[in-house]
Amino acid sequence: MMVSVHPDARDSPLVGRTAELDRLSHAVGLGGQPAGAGEPASAVLLSGDAGIGKTRTLRELTRRAESAGHRVLLGHCLDLGESAIPFQPFTEVLSALTEAERDAAAARYEALGALLPGRSISGGSDSRGLFAAMVATLEELATERPLLVVIEDLHWADSSTHHLIRYLLGTWFSRQVHLVLSYRSDDLHRRHPLRPHIAEWGRLPGVQRVDLAPLADDAVADLVRARATVAPDGLADIIRRAEGNAFFVEELLDAAQDGESLPPTLADLLLVRLDRLDEAARTVVGAVACGGSFVTDELLGAVLGLAPRELESALRQAVDHKILTRGTRDGYCFRHALLSEVVHDDLLPGERRRLHRSYLDVLTADGADARAAEVALHAVEAGALDVAYSARVAAGDQAVAVHGHDVAAVHYERALELADHAPAEADLTQLVIKASEACTASGRHGRAMALVRDRLDHLPSATGDRGRLLVAYGVAALVGDQLAAAAPAATEALEITAEEPSPLRALAENLYANVALAERRNTDAEFWAAQSRSLGQRLGLTTVVTDANTIIEKVRSRTGNDVDETKRRLSALIAATHAEGDVVGELRATHHLAFLQHDLGELDQAEETFLQTMERARQAGRTWAPYGFDGRLFAAVTAYMRGRWDRVLTLRKVGTTAPTPTADALLDAVVLLVRVGRGDSQATAEAERLQSVWSSDVVLAVHAGTSAIDVAPDATTAIDRHRELVEVLWQTWRSRPPALLRMAGLLAGRLACLADRSTADERSAWAAVVAEAAARARQHANDRGHPGPEGRAWEARLRAEELRLQWRAGDTDVDLEALVAAWRTAYESFVELGEPYEVARSATRLAAAVHAAGDQQEADTLLSSARATAQDLGAVPLLNEIAELSPGSMGSPEAGLTARESEVLGHLVEGRTNGEIARVLFISPKTVSVHVSNLLAKLGAGTRTEAAAIARRRGLS
């Protein structure tokens, strides 16, 4: 597991405890609970397992209390066994008082001498006197401000402390005195001395009980990410093993960083619990550890051969000491998964092997109804590797049957590791293909390709299995957007599968058609799809026929055929595949329908169809498989375009399912669009992080790369990011990379924003870069043909940004009418597309142009509309841009210019020298020089050229 713990992660953040903190805060008079809650209690009993986060929660509570002006006193019980100190936590509480307060308390209440540091009782005193003195002291400490007393680790408290707490809980304080008492619930076995007290105290008036349950998986994920950078599979492993325990999370992170499976300190801590058990109970616990996550009572008895009473007695001990817990069925499991790991690892090798052998014998006996996965587990541990191979394959097949593709992939790969023990008739090539398909279905395209590639590399070229493997490799590469790898595989597969009516030939033709479709070779795609459809119909290959029909409809939608008819046919395909139970065919057809709607500018319909794809994939257990994950991803992209930015953030939340690293980065790339749009201070760092994985996916590169251009801090960075992005896309998508118009438009826009702070040489170089990028983007767009509303909008935007760059750079050849017309076209194009953010950005820049042309009324209208959109989106950078152009910053009086300075500025914009301006205005060149100096200062410009550019942008001339 690759783990990098953040160097500044010394203190874990508090996550997943909002509800509990609100209850605690309300109980101690701090509020935080919704209206309608009961009156504040005088005390709270806070429980939870060791490491669950009680201390961290109490630390946050005390911080809140101190911030609210409450006084906080802390006391801790110590694990001193039979040498416990009477009233230890209250001695600590009183030791925190000032010396003057201790002296006053000692003078007033002689009985307190037993608890005050450095003092003793001078005469006899009973416990009632001491208890009453403690109550009175707490009352007095709460005279000026509320008092919060926190006592931790009551499970280690002595009996005298128990009695004093019972006295305090039975007392109604006249002032604001609140108690919070914490203890470990997992330490309270049946005969623990605190157990009956807790039961009694919880029934007292004014006492609340709050239990800290294990953290939810999402909260564990947040905790891990706050402390370390962990790959998604590693994150899933920590979530599974920690089971919501914050301490275990931290220990597992530290161990993973050091290359350990389980930290010794944690293992020792957990094993201490076993010391309380007798030998029989230990034997039973060891058997349960070998049994997996859950062992039935019947199976355990059969494995151990114990008499029922002996087994029941041992189980009772393990349950009472909080080592085992009863399951929902008739059986037992460990209270925590890590305890099971520790017990299993602590068994002697021979002992462990014998227990697993016993399990295997019971599970494979005649009449046994065991799951293949259970048999595989015990067969491996018992050394029966031939049995393990067959069980692994069967377990993978069973997992596929219930859509558990990620689990199936694990079983198939484990079976491949046991290939030397496979029976002679085993089809290892088919097993590799099964493993590859399972990896693809669970979203791990790279792994799917690697498995097949390894088999291909070790297979003689003449073998008949090569064609099967090439098709599998091409499919895995294609769905993983690795077109450069898919194309040669498809070509070779077509070459080596003779033109004979075989299923393999149909699959090869279908793969080749898909590759041609991805390369936009529409004629080839339609031809080979028709070929595979014909052969598929002859051989009864329903999925091949469905896929071929989908390809043909996709080609027709590109080549200008009746799109309504294409949509009708795709809808019919979706219905037919759904009725046939062809989930992959249904998802593929739905996916293409969504993209057709998207390409036509029907964004709301496209978003809804993408969401339907995502949900259908979830139902089929294909959340991260092709089309299923695409549904989530492109629903987020479309939601971003439609201005539903909060939905983008919601779609990013993937719950407890761990995406692949590429899927994780893809979702982050779409979220980055929102972060850049909202001016997130960490957006630049996030863009830099994602740049390292641009090459893993073309969609990731487009969205993360364009964000990097948009948020670039300077021109050099913007130009470099654009160049690097183009290089990655051309390498990945060969001759047909997407989004070049958008990339060039954003580059021109970013440079235009920076034009005021540049030299003439820099602006000249920028113009050349933009011209080259624009020419390449336009040529590429012409090659692709039939641009949709989005392509037309970015083409118009690119032209407008080019003119804006020249205008803001002080180019006097820019025709103002042409500038206005270009921006009006861009604005109207984005209105047609229905992308609010880009509508608002285009409106803002159109406003600058029309203001410079003298139409203040239209400029104000445009800015008002843009401002409303930016406020709805939370687009802070756009709001700042609007503010610069709003009344108060665009007119010369608001800019602080005198009438004469405005005149001089007008001539300066026209490029006149000081002498020429002096002659026109009938003043001396020296006076002109003074006015120019004042202008530069008021406009914040460094040069005459920069002042002219600012004047043009703000409409001051």
Side-chain angles (χ1 to χ4, degrees), residues 726-925:
V726 170
E727 290 174 357
V728 167
L729 291 177
W730 279 86
Q731 291 167 4
T732 305
W733 269 55
R734 308 208 296 184
S735 61
R736 298 181 183 276
L740 293 185
L741 287 172
R742 174 180 164 194
M743 291 154 51
L746 289 173
L747 174 63
R750 189 68 192 124
L751 295 178
C753 290
L754 300 168
D756 288 352
R757 303 190 294 275
S758 64
T759 66
D761 289 343
E762 287 174 332
R763 291 193 297 273
S764 177
W766 297 356
V769 169
V770 169
E772 181 182 351
R776 171 182 273 187
R778 291 188 177 106
Q779 181 60 52
H780 178 263
N782 289 335
D783 292 343
R784 289 173 71 95
H786 300 290
E790 185 177 12
R792 293 194 296 271
W794 280 108
E795 160 61 24
R797 174 69 165 273
L798 173 57
R799 176 58 184 156
E801 292 287 19
E802 286 181 284
L803 291 174
R804 175 170 168 260
L805 173 59
Q806 298 168 27
W807 179 54
R808 294 198 64 177
D811 187 343
T812 56
D813 292 335
V814 176
D815 181 72
L816 199 53
E817 290 185 6
L819 179 68
V820 171
W823 274 108
R824 196 176 302 283
T825 301
Y827 169 70
E828 291 172 351
S829 297
F830 278 110
V831 170
E832 177 191 355
L833 177 61
E835 186 168 357
Y837 180 56
E838 297 303 345
V839 169
R841 283 217 282 192
S842 298
T844 301
R845 292 165 189 180
L846 173 59
V850 299
H851 173 79
D855 192 342
Q856 182 62 48
Q857 183 176 356
E858 184 182 6
D860 290 346
T861 301
L862 288 164
L863 290 175
S864 177
S865 173
R867 185 183 300 106
T869 298
Q871 288 172 339
D872 287 343
L873 295 173
V876 174
L878 180 55
L879 286 170
N880 292 337
E881 185 176 341
I882 293 168
E884 289 185 9
L885 300 173
S886 300
S889 60
M890 288 203 299
S892 57
E894 292 83 356
L897 304 185
T898 66
R900 177 62 82 184
E901 288 167 348
S902 294
E903 288 182 284
V904 171
L905 180 59
H907 292 292
L908 186 149
V909 168
E910 293 173 4
R912 292 189 173 94
T913 65
N914 284 3
E916 291 172 334
I917 296 172
R919 285 192 296 274
V920 172
L921 297 180
F922 302 100
I923 56 178
S924 70

Side-chain angles (χ1 to χ4, degrees), residues 40-361:
S42 63
V44 180
L45 301 175
L46 178 67
S47 61
D49 287 358
I52 207 71
K54 298 184 296 299
T55 297
R56 183 67 185 84
T57 301
L58 288 175
R59 191 185 312 159
E60 177 61 22
L61 176 69
T62 58
R63 187 197 63 77
R64 287 188 183 186
E66 289 171 341
S67 297
H70 292 214
R71 183 171 188 176
V72 178
L73 297 175
L74 303 176
H76 298 82
C77 303
L78 304 178
D79 183 14
L80 300 178
E82 296 180 355
S83 302
I85 303 172
F87 305 113
Q88 163 60 34
F90 291 98
T91 298
E92 184 181 349
V93 164
L94 295 177
S95 69
L97 305 183
T98 66
E99 187 173 353
E101 288 173 328
R102 290 197 298 270
D103 289 342
R108 193 174 295 113
Y109 306 110
E110 181 180 359
L112 279 184
L115 306 185
L116 289 169
R119 294 175 173 83
S120 60
I121 302 176
S122 57
S125 175
D126 61 17
S127 61
R128 287 175 298 174
L130 174 62
F131 295 175
M134 178 59 70
V135 168
T137 299
L138 296 180
E139 286 267 21
E140 290 171 6
L141 292 173
T143 300
E144 297 182 358
R145 52 178 175 155
L147 175 66
L148 171 62
V149 179
V150 177
I151 306 294
E152 291 196 62
D153 298 326
L154 273 181
H155 49 280
W156 287 326
D158 66 291
S159 60
S160 58
T161 298
H162 294 164
H163 297 319
L164 176 50
I165 288 174
R166 173 60 180 86
Y167 188 90
L168 294 175
L169 295 178
T171 301
W172 283 88
F173 292 92
S174 60
R175 296 189 176 94
Q176 291 195 56
V177 176
H178 301 286
L179 304 176
V180 177
L181 314 167
S182 75
Y183 63 93
R184 290 182 185 172
S185 51
D186 53 338
D187 269 21
L188 265 60
H189 53 78
R190 183 180 294 270
R191 287 180 288 278
H192 194 288
L194 181 61
R195 186 165 179 165
H197 293 301
I198 292 294
E200 177 194 2
W201 298 346
R203 294 192 296 269
L204 294 174
V207 177
Q208 290 189 29
R209 296 184 68 167
V210 175
D211 179 62
L212 291 187
L215 291 169
D217 288 351
D218 285 348
V220 174
D222 290 341
L223 178 59
V224 171
R225 293 188 184 106
R227 287 183 55 84
T229 300
V230 184
D233 55 346
L235 175 60
D237 183 64
I238 290 175
I239 290 173
R240 177 185 60 80
R241 297 174 71 195
E243 290 189 340
N245 188 294
F247 172 70
F248 292 172
V249 169
E250 296 171 9
E251 290 290 308
L252 289 170
L253 277 175
D254 291 341
Q257 187 182 35
D258 295 336
E260 299 172 346
S261 173
L262 196 66
T265 53
L266 181 55
D268 292 343
L269 175 66
L270 294 172
L271 283 173
V272 165
R273 303 186 184 186
L274 268 66
D275 293 340
R276 306 166 183 165
L277 305 181
D278 63 21
E279 191 62 32
R282 285 188 175 201
T283 299
V284 169
V285 167
V288 175
C290 290
S293 58
F294 179 85
V295 183
T296 65
D297 192 81
E298 182 181 1
L299 177 59
L300 195 58
V303 167
L304 290 173
L306 291 176
R309 283 195 176 179
E310 189 178 1
L311 176 62
E312 290 166 5
S313 174
L315 285 169
R316 170 63 66 186
Q317 275 193 61
V319 170
D320 285 349
H321 285 84
K322 304 297 180 74
I323 294 169
L324 298 181
T325 183
R326 296 183 184 89
T328 54
R329 294 170 288 158
D330 184 20
Y332 302 88
C333 59
F334 277 85
R335 185 177 175 87
H336 198 286
L338 283 182
L339 184 54
S340 175
E341 289 184 40
V342 171
V343 172
H344 187 270
D345 292 347
D346 193 53
L347 293 170
L348 296 173
E351 183 182 15
R352 188 162 53 235
R353 193 180 309 111
R354 284 191 297 274
L355 280 169
H356 282 292
R357 181 79 244 186
S358 181
Y359 270 108
L360 183 61
D361 291 342

Side-chain angles (χ1 to χ4, degrees), residues 461-464 466-468 470-471 486-500 502 504-513 521 528:
S461 58
T463 180
R466 187 169 182 81
R468 297 161 64 194
L470 284 168
V471 170
T491 301
E492 186 182 350
L494 203 61
E495 290 172 351
I496 69 173
T497 53
E499 294 187 22
E500 57 186 29
S502 68
L504 181 59
R505 176 65 183 184
L507 291 171
E509 291 174 346
N510 187 265
L511 171 63
Y512 193 87
R521 294 188 285 113
W528 286 106

Side-chain angles (χ1 to χ4, degrees), residues 422-442:
E425 68 275 11
D427 186 347
L428 294 180
T429 293
Q430 185 58 32
L431 179 58
V432 169
I433 293 172
K434 280 184 175 183
S436 175
E437 290 174 345
C439 287
T440 296
S442 56

